[in-house]
Amino acid sequence: MTTTYPFSAIVGMDGLRLALLLNAVSPAVGGVLVRGEKGTAKSTAVRAIASLLPEVDVVAGCRFSCDPAVPDPSCPDGPHEPGTGEARSARMVELPVGASEDRLVGALDIERALSDGVKAFEPGLLADAHRGVLYVDEVNLLHDHLIDLLLDAAAMGASYVEREGVSVRHAARFLLVGTMNPEEGELRPQLLDRFGLTVEVAASRDTEERVEVVRRRLAYDEDPEGFAARWAADEEALRERIAAARALLPRVALGDRALRQIAAVCAGFEVDGMRADIVTARTATALAAWAGRTDVRTEDVRGAALLSLPHRRRRAPFDAPGLDEDKLDEILRQFEEDDPEPDPDPDPGPEDGPGGSGPDDAGGPEGGPREGAGDGAREQAPPAEPEPSVPEQRTGEHERADRETDSAPADRDGGADEADGGAGGAGGERAAVGAAEPFRTRRLDVPGLGEGAAGRRSRARSAHGRTTGARRPRGTLSALHLSATVRAAAPHQLARGRRGPGLLVRRDDLREAVREGREGNLVLFVVDASGSMAARKRMSAIKGAVLSLLLDAYQRRDKVGLITFRGADAELALPPTSSVDTAAARLERLPTGGRTPLATGLLKAREVLRVERLRDPARRPLLVVVTDGRATEARRSGGPTPVERAGRAARMLAGDGVASVVVDCESGPVRLGLAGALARELRGTPVTLDELRADSVTALVRDVRTVSNPRRAA
């Protein structure tokens, strides 16, 4: 059995440790979402907290962890006699990103249910996690259908398994903990709101702290059991403090004054719904209990808000979660002026924070171990740290304001700015301009029927959606097609000796439903950043359009990539990724100027799509070319013109079967129609910036399908 890294040996990360400890004190807080870059020990900290959780009493032999004091009357393993049970450690159940639906909620034996009328049920991970912790690493990469099941279970406290009229229900109340790297994509708002707290973590920039992290990790890897033994006393002290805080929690008073502070803060940040107020109140109460106090103070409300509100405040698209601490202090200060009644000051309890004074003073979680590591590598305990505070959160409102300040008053279109030989011509470069406000776009589909990852863009065969047919099962049967199964079994009833009213069904008779849903695609943006696009008004509108398409891609669960071309080359500004936020940030910083190597940009796109086809063959691409259609670059003597090279590259992409849309950025009274010609070479659809809006086009999706598939038009 693998020895878990001790929680008390984790260096730094005060906010993360505090959030996990508060959930250990009060599971009603609702779990925690840990956001941070790779390699910051997110998973290590989450797995380490499980060993500190108090034991739970369960009914002996029950696969669903029923409480012997109040057994679940609808438990599939029931009924249970009350009062008989045994104690066991709280479970930490991990949900893999690639898990199937049956692995999560459990599986019914459909064959036995139809032939014998028996509900043979194999529990899933939700049953295992009941009254424990459900941990999802890389939760932002979880498939949508699994997210829907998690949302249902978290909302109802129960899991329902339905298979063609056969149903099983069992309790599923768990602490949801997730970790994610924001660079790989964001979470759906519905699931994001289900996490009680959120914490941002980053690697320390302090040299001594980084040295201590490496020293402890090397010592653990060399001798895990010996390392854990050196921290055993600290772990036990922390475990006792959690138990003491849990016992104190029912006596903590959340007065009207603290409730008004919480309401003022939530209203001030314009959070949606009332869950934020409830979670903040529970977190403030847990903070007071952790500090050994029976009253909730202003500092508890402030600390709770920093943990419970960053992911719930209303913010602009692509802004990272965060909370303006200055605004928070101003709201609390204003409240103090309106209601100057002082907080009560009872006898102070133990100092707040996982590293403060109290039961774990003598070598607590931030104190050093009492002996050195093996091989003479001495583990030096860092000096006693002050009370840990919630780390400063990034403020999305500030980021949005910073971007808006980049946008100067719009220049007029046309003029020298658009000439390749002018200020934005060859060798020239203009600073990035801000994007115009995003808008709702029409859906751009890839024609045909795919089999890619679940999403919301193009038609695809999937496990969810409308039923379109039946087939023999491929592996474990999960979606029974009842009528097809009955039709397959009916001709054989006499041969099988049927005498009664029941239907004799064998495994060969089973048919599974073939369903059609939606898939996510790879949306590859190829953006013209040359001098012909450099007029500020035009580039701002173009960036706004691409930003709108990125927002649409985020909502439809696509992967996105970004290629820009200008001067003499094309650049893969963002390799295909699920992080639409990163694409938006790269787009915002995009400079313009130079010639227009359109052919180079298209060939770069073809190479990127070729590589991605090898990595993920099932994910179909959609190419979005944003340009005015001009092609101006250095021409070799006797070689093809830039326009001819661009046409040749476009025909190669069309020959690969790539569905494409050309966003025509040409403006002004005189139009050359070059973008339309490019769209014809790509066998794609030309769309102007105005036509891209959802309320401007009525047949855009049909046009994309028709032009991308000429045989359908015929």
Side-chain angles (χ1 to χ4, degrees):
M1 181 177 178
T2 304
T3 302
T4 304
Y5 192 93
F7 186 84
S8 52
I10 295 172
V11 178
M13 298 198 298
D14 293 347
L16 172 57
R17 291 182 294 112
L18 181 59
L20 292 172
L21 287 168
L22 292 178
N23 276 280
V25 171
S26 175
V29 166
V32 58
L33 173 66
V34 188
R35 297 165 48 92
E37 57 197 16
K38 53 186 177 294
T40 50
K42 302 185 296 293
S43 301
T44 299
V46 173
R47 294 187 177 102
I49 193 65
S51 62
L52 300 178
L53 297 177
E55 291 185 334
V56 294
D57 293 327
V58 298
V59 174
C62 178
R63 297 175 297 168
F64 301 88
S65 302
C66 282
D67 187 345
V70 190
D72 183 2
S74 60
C75 175
D77 283 356
H80 301 300
E81 292 295 331
T84 59
E86 60 184 10
R88 66 160 173 78
S89 301
R91 287 175 178 165
M92 167 76 77
V93 178
E94 296 194 32
L95 171 60
V97 170
S100 66
E101 181 178 331
D102 284 348
R103 184 69 188 98
L104 178 62
V105 300
L108 278 170
D109 190 331
I110 302 297
E111 183 179 4
R112 292 190 62 191
L114 289 177
S115 58
D116 302 333
V118 176
K119 291 183 180 180
F121 180 67
E122 183 66 28
L125 296 177
L126 290 180
D128 294 341
H130 179 48
R131 303 178 66 202
V133 178
L134 181 63
Y135 171 47
V136 189
D137 193 14
E138 306 294 349
V139 64
N140 51 324
L141 303 182
L142 202 63
H143 290 303
D144 275 5
H145 68 284
L146 297 183
I147 289 179
D148 292 336
L149 294 170
L150 275 181
L151 289 173
D152 290 342
M156 297 183 294
S159 174
Y160 292 85
V161 182
E162 301 281 350
R163 294 289 187 272
E164 299 295 336
V166 182
S167 63
V168 171
R169 175 206 172 276
H170 64 83
R173 291 182 294 274
F174 47 83
L175 195 65
L176 184 60
V177 180
T179 55
M180 60 173 283
N181 182 352
E183 294 178 354
E184 297 172 338
E186 287 292 344
L187 273 178
R188 283 171 54 185
Q190 296 93 330
L191 183 58
L192 188 64
D193 190 50
R194 285 294 172 183
F195 288 97
L197 311 179
T198 186
V199 179
E200 295 271 356
V201 296
S204 172
R205 299 297 182 259
D206 180 80
T207 303
E208 292 303 319
E209 192 168 285
R210 294 175 74 98
V211 167
E212 187 63 24
V213 169
V214 175
R215 180 181 291 122
R216 295 187 187 185
R217 184 68 206 191
L218 293 178
Y220 169 77
D221 291 341
E222 182 180 340
D223 182 11
E225 294 182 359
F227 184 83
R230 289 191 287 275
W231 288 89
D234 303 319
E235 293 282 281
E236 183 59 31
L238 198 53
R239 193 176 293 110
E240 291 175 359
R241 186 173 177 186
I242 292 173
R246 275 199 172 192
L248 181 63
L249 187 65
R251 304 202 305 271
V252 176
L254 182 66
D256 287 344
R257 187 168 187 273
L259 280 173
R260 288 197 298 272
Q261 284 180 314
I262 292 170
V265 169
C266 293
F269 282 101
E270 299 181 343
V271 297
D272 296 324
M274 295 300 298
R275 184 176 285 116
D277 304 64
I278 296 171
V279 172
T280 305
R282 289 171 175 166
T283 307
T285 303
L287 276 166
W290 178 250
R293 290 185 273 101
T294 57
D295 65 300
V296 176
R297 301 179 180 177
T298 299
E299 57 264 32
D300 299 324
V301 173
R302 185 183 190 277
L306 288 173
L307 290 169
S308 63
L309 298 187
H311 58 305
R312 292 188 170 93
R313 67 172 181 81
R314 188 172 298 167
R315 58 188 188 273
F318 306 122
D319 281 347
L323 208 65
D324 187 344
E325 292 197 49
D326 292 337
K327 181 177 179 180
L328 174 60
D329 292 334
E330 179 61 30
I331 294 173
L332 293 174
R333 190 181 306 112
Q334 184 64 40
F335 183 88
E336 294 291 343
E337 294 173 359
D338 295 340
D339 187 1
E341 177 187 353
D343 283 334
D345 188 20
D347 293 338
E351 190 175 345
D352 290 50
S357 61
D360 50 343
D361 265 351
E366 304 316 310
R370 293 170 176 77
E371 53 185 302
D375 291 345
R378 183 168 175 264
E379 285 179 27
Q380 303 226 343
E385 299 178 1
E387 171 186 343
S389 58
V390 182
E392 180 178 355
Q393 306 282 354
R394 292 182 60 197
T395 306
E397 294 151 343
H398 287 171
E399 295 173 359
R400 185 71 181 177
D402 291 342
R403 292 203 299 266
E404 290 173 352
T405 57
D406 291 339
S407 299
D411 297 338
R412 64 179 179 86
D413 267 357
D417 285 342
E418 296 189 27
D420 286 334
E429 179 176 311
R430 286 183 170 270
V433 300
E437 284 298 318
F439 51 84
R440 188 168 65 90
T441 67
R442 296 292 299 184
R443 184 175 69 204
L444 307 176
D445 285 7
V446 177
L449 192 64
E451 295 184 346
R456 294 186 179 86
R457 183 171 297 279
S458 304
R459 295 172 56 231
R461 296 184 183 91
S462 66
H464 302 273
R466 64 186 182 92
T467 301
T468 59
R471 66 185 178 191
R472 292 182 180 275
R474 298 177 180 177
T476 303
L477 176 66
S478 59
L480 178 73
H481 196 295
L482 184 58
S483 60
T485 299
V486 172
R487 287 196 302 269
H492 308 291
Q493 297 305 297
L494 292 178
R496 293 173 184 173
R498 173 186 168 187
R499 297 293 182 267
L503 187 68
L504 297 181
V505 179
R506 295 181 179 175
R507 182 164 296 277
D508 289 343
D509 302 327
L510 298 179
R511 298 293 183 270
E512 68 178 2
V514 176
R515 292 174 176 169
E516 182 180 310
R518 293 280 173 178
E519 67 176 359
N521 298 110
L522 167 60
V523 182
L524 182 61
F525 293 93
V526 181
V527 180
D528 185 350
S530 64
S532 64
M533 311 283 283
R536 294 182 67 86
K537 183 178 179 181
R538 179 187 296 185
M539 199 62 202
S540 179
I542 292 168
K543 285 187 175 182
V546 178
L547 194 65
S548 303
L549 289 168
L550 284 172
L551 179 59
D552 181 70
Y554 165 72
Q555 294 169 342
R556 301 190 188 282
R557 312 304 291 171
D558 295 317
K559 289 180 68 175
V560 296
L562 177 63
I563 293 174
T564 64
F565 59 93
R566 65 186 184 91
D569 202 4
E571 176 190 3
L572 180 59
L574 180 70
T577 175
S578 297
S579 178
V580 179
D581 290 27
T582 305
R586 301 283 174 88
L587 176 72
E588 200 71 23
R589 298 191 296 267
L590 177 66
T592 58
R595 295 186 182 274
T596 313
L598 178 57
T600 305
L602 295 176
L603 292 174
K604 184 73 171 180
R606 186 170 186 250
E607 176 62 20
V608 170
L609 293 178
R610 184 190 66 81
V611 173
E612 287 301 309
R613 196 176 294 115
L614 295 174
R615 291 176 177 171
D616 190 356
R619 189 179 290 269
R620 298 185 295 161
L622 175 63
L623 183 67
V624 179
V625 184
V626 185
T627 182
D628 58 5
R630 299 187 186 185
T632 57
E633 55 183 321
R635 178 183 177 185
R636 295 179 181 177
S637 177
T641 66
V643 173
E644 291 171 343
R645 290 189 66 239
R648 184 182 302 172
R651 289 190 293 273
M652 293 170 67
L653 281 164
D656 293 340
V658 177
S660 59
V661 174
V662 178
V663 181
D664 186 356
C665 302
E666 192 174 29
S667 61
V670 179
R671 297 174 181 259
L672 303 178
L674 298 176
L678 175 64
R680 287 190 294 273
E681 297 283 11
L682 284 167
R683 299 178 195 168
T685 301
V687 182
T688 66
L689 292 177
D690 290 336
E691 290 173 342
L692 200 58
R693 295 179 180 272
D695 53 359
S696 299
V697 185
T698 58
L700 179 58
V701 176
R702 184 186 69 243
D703 290 345
V704 172
R705 291 174 175 171
T706 300
V707 177
S708 300
N709 190 355
R711 288 177 296 178
R712 178 175 296 184

